[in-house]
Amino acid sequence: MNLESAETYINHPTWGLLYRICMVDDSQELFTTLYAQRLFFLVTVEAKGMKFQPIGRTEARMMLENRLRGLRRTGQSQEYDQLHSVFQRTFQ
């Protein structure tokens, strides 16, 4: 299964259901609130659990743009197209 296209949701203790936008690296993922998509979190998986770091919309956008550049550079066109669609829905 393609992990980039798998929809992943987690529950934040305060903000409720979060939707995964993309992987940032091996241990970090970018999430946003499910309905408003105005609050963003960098979620790090650690041995003792998950760490939620709130980040601004601009920083989230830059992370997603960096991920898109990496996918384009490595020729992963299907993943790029899927993530670009998410980018457009979220930031435009």
Side-chain angles (χ1 to χ4, degrees):
M1 180 165 80
N2 180 346
L3 293 178
E4 286 296 326
S5 65
E7 290 187 4
T8 302
Y9 302 90
I10 58 175
N11 194 33
H12 185 278
T14 303
W15 301 106
L17 205 55
L18 303 179
Y19 171 75
R20 185 181 79 167
I21 296 177
C22 70
M23 303 265 316
V24 176
D25 61 33
D26 289 338
S27 64
Q28 294 183 319
E29 298 174 288
L30 180 61
F31 281 81
T32 186
T33 50
L34 183 59
Y35 298 106
Q37 295 184 352
R38 299 209 196 282
L39 301 173
F40 296 89
F41 298 89
L42 187 59
V43 178
T44 305
V45 178
E46 301 174 335
K48 56 187 172 190
M50 288 188 280
K51 177 183 166 191
F52 295 89
Q53 176 185 349
I55 62 172
R57 184 175 179 84
T58 301
E59 187 176 358
R61 182 181 178 128
M62 288 184 346
M63 286 182 170
L64 189 47
E65 288 171 342
N66 286 338
R67 180 73 175 141
L68 283 167
R69 276 193 292 278
L71 291 172
R72 187 174 49 225
R73 187 173 44 251
T74 58
Q76 299 177 51
S77 60
Q78 182 180 3
E79 291 86 352
Y80 175 87
D81 291 344
Q82 292 169 346
L83 193 55
H84 190 261
S85 177
V86 170
F87 177 83
Q88 289 181 320
R89 283 193 313 269
T90 306
F91 294 106
Q92 309 215 352

